[in-house]
Amino acid sequence: MFATASGLEGVVVAQTALSDVNGQSGRLVIRGHHVECLVTKAAFEDAFGLMWSGWMPSVTEREALREALARARERAFGLLPSLGGVLDAPAAMDALRGALARLWTAGDTYEDGVLLTGAIPVIAAAWHRARMGLPAIAPDVKLSHAADFLYMLSGAVPHRARVDGLDAYLCCVVDHGLNASTFVARTVASTGSDTVSAVVAAIGALKGPLHGGAPGPVLDMLDSIGTPDRVRSWLEAELAAGRRIMGMGHRIYRVRDPRAAALERAAAILERSAANTDRLLLARAVEREAERLLAERHPERNLRANVEFYTAVLLEAVGIPRTLFSATFAASRVVGWCAHIHEQRFVGRLIRPASRYVGTAPRGGGPC
Ligand code: COA
């Protein structure tokens, strides 16, 4: 009757003009731009404009976007007092899920996308500060989106190199084909539901350790390994215990994830500016050894570093607390989600796959 693909691998369920992932050659194109070029040349506002309109914003358009996102952050900050205990959630992603669920959008407009994109860094920063017993810091509308996120975490205007590092990250992960959270967002949108519902559902998918929850554990792994001489024994023990090495392997890529290379370069630039490359050197040693050990165990899979591996190193160097890594991922991917939701609405067809029943057959012949 129907073919079975338990993880839906290789099954095409949507056409998109937003991004193209080629897992064999290790290529990621976002709206006609190679991800490597976006990471080195663009700021988050550019990636936002590109995703929505399909072209790189002009200087005037970029300024308008910067202004719109700043206003959206301001508006989200004004909503913080109405969130009640949402910011007491144990994890930032739970706080995001709860806080965004209190927003309301009428449809799938550009304004909805701006509102949601502006809200995420405000909620993430407020959650982080609440955990430290500190009051939330109001956004500074003069700053770019990336700079303001860092500012709202500490109250200090961040150094240019850190802002560039965060912009590189946000541009890198803005969209990635039909990943799990984007699929969820499109599925919710296909039912005719609203944008906030689709984004809240996507956050639930992104939170999982097999998707966007991996970079925190990558950093835990680097901490636990400590020094390059312990890399091999640590990884061997982990694999012998049947655990997965975080930041390695990918459903689509059969070569190194191109985003890993882009983020590794961004981390190298940032670490050089801070004159401390120890973390990067350790990460590279772990990647080399993990690749070797995984190739011995799964020679057919070519398990290589994925985006989360160097996300951990870059975001740590940028100064984002590891408890906010997944929320920072959401701060960028929300743009991809909203663009996909918008695209899905034009398709107008309910996403409804089939399942194969393997339960018990009813007793007797016909219906009761
Ligand atoms: N560490 C150890 N073993 C791994 C592994 C890893 N990081 N990734 C895959 N494998 C193993 C699997 O256990 C499986 O082994 P089995 O056949 O003996 O059960 C085999 O390799 C094939 O796995 P594959 O089909 O390639 O994985 P997948 O497509 O189901 O999963 C991931 C892809 C990303 C979920 C998986 O690689 C993973 O869990 N990575 C770690 C988490 C992570 O970094 N997530 C972020 C993704 S961007």
Side-chain angles (χ1 to χ4, degrees):
M1 190 176 86
F2 296 118
T4 304
S6 64
L8 288 182
E9 49 258 67
V11 180
V12 175
V13 300
Q15 297 203 38
T16 181
L18 297 169
S19 61
D20 180 30
V21 185
N22 186 320
Q24 298 300 325
S25 63
R27 198 186 65 160
L28 168 60
V29 171
I30 298 174
R31 286 274 203 185
H33 295 257
H34 287 286
V35 70
E36 297 83 350
C37 303
L38 271 188
V39 166
T40 44
K41 297 201 182 107
F44 178 68
E45 283 79 359
D46 299 315
F48 185 101
L50 178 68
M51 285 297 291
W52 271 96
S53 60
W55 65 83
M56 274 293 187
S58 65
V59 174
T60 321
E61 288 167 333
R62 187 183 211 249
E63 200 41 47
L65 264 173
R66 188 179 153 113
E67 173 79 22
L69 286 170
R71 297 290 161 223
R73 294 194 301 275
E74 242 182 4
R75 186 173 158 202
F77 186 78
L79 294 173
L80 288 179
S82 67
L83 291 182
V86 168
L87 294 181
D88 299 334
M93 292 296 270
D94 298 329
L96 267 189
R97 198 183 50 205
L100 293 184
R102 299 194 177 206
L103 297 177
W104 182 84
T105 54
D108 62 343
T109 62
Y110 170 78
E111 283 71 27
D112 296 332
V114 171
L115 172 70
L116 283 156
T117 306
I120 292 181
V122 173
I123 297 160
W127 174 84
H128 172 68
R129 291 185 60 84
R131 296 259 299 176
M132 297 196 306
L134 297 169
I137 294 170
D140 180 344
V141 293
K142 294 188 298 305
L143 297 175
S144 72
H145 199 64
D148 207 14
F149 186 16
L150 295 172
Y151 170 73
M152 287 186 287
L153 287 172
S154 68
V157 175
H159 192 275
R160 177 66 193 262
R162 291 176 58 214
V163 178
D164 288 348
L166 183 54
D167 267 322
Y169 173 72
L170 296 173
C171 288
C172 190
V173 300
V174 74
D175 197 40
H176 197 240
L178 212 59
N179 57 85
S181 57
T182 301
F183 177 59
V184 165
R186 283 191 83 124
T187 303
V188 175
S190 83
T191 71
S193 187
D194 62 291
T195 301
V196 166
S197 300
V199 166
V200 168
I203 282 178
L206 185 71
K207 176 185 163 186
L210 301 189
H211 188 8
V218 168
L219 216 50
D220 295 340
M221 169 175 74
L222 296 180
D223 279 348
S224 177
I225 293 174
T227 49
D229 57 303
R230 283 175 31 86
V231 170
R232 185 174 180 175
S233 56
W234 195 96
L235 291 174
E236 279 176 340
E238 201 68 0
L239 290 170
R243 286 190 284 271
R244 292 188 176 204
I245 309 300
M246 288 292 128
M248 300 297 295
H250 198 274
R251 173 57 61 82
I252 305 283
Y253 291 116
R254 291 295 162 255
V255 292
R256 196 177 190 230
D257 186 333
R259 298 167 301 170
L263 295 181
E264 182 190 8
R265 272 195 295 276
I269 293 168
L270 186 50
E271 286 206 353
R272 263 202 306 275
S273 80
N276 177 9
T277 55
D278 289 356
R279 199 55 136 174
L280 192 56
L281 293 176
L282 176 63
R284 284 175 173 152
V286 172
E287 182 192 1
R288 271 195 307 274
E289 192 59 23
E291 239 175 46
R292 201 183 64 74
L293 293 172
L294 289 169
E296 279 173 13
R297 284 161 179 78
H298 301 282
E300 74 298 344
R301 293 301 282 179
N302 201 18
L303 297 168
R304 308 282 303 272
N306 63 48
V307 64
E308 309 292 24
F309 196 85
Y310 286 100
T311 287
V313 182
L314 176 60
L315 290 188
E316 184 188 43
V318 163
I320 302 277
R322 79 184 70 182
T323 49
L324 286 186
F325 283 0
S326 301
T328 307
F329 193 164
S332 167
R333 185 56 61 82
V334 66
V335 181
W337 293 332
C338 289
H340 275 273
I341 290 165
H342 195 61
E343 200 174 57
Q344 183 64 38
R345 289 269 161 70
F346 279 98
V347 178
R349 187 158 170 83
L350 175 71
I351 296 176
R352 203 313 189 177
S355 54
R356 189 161 60 88
Y357 181 62
V358 294
T360 48
R363 286 170 205 277
C368 51

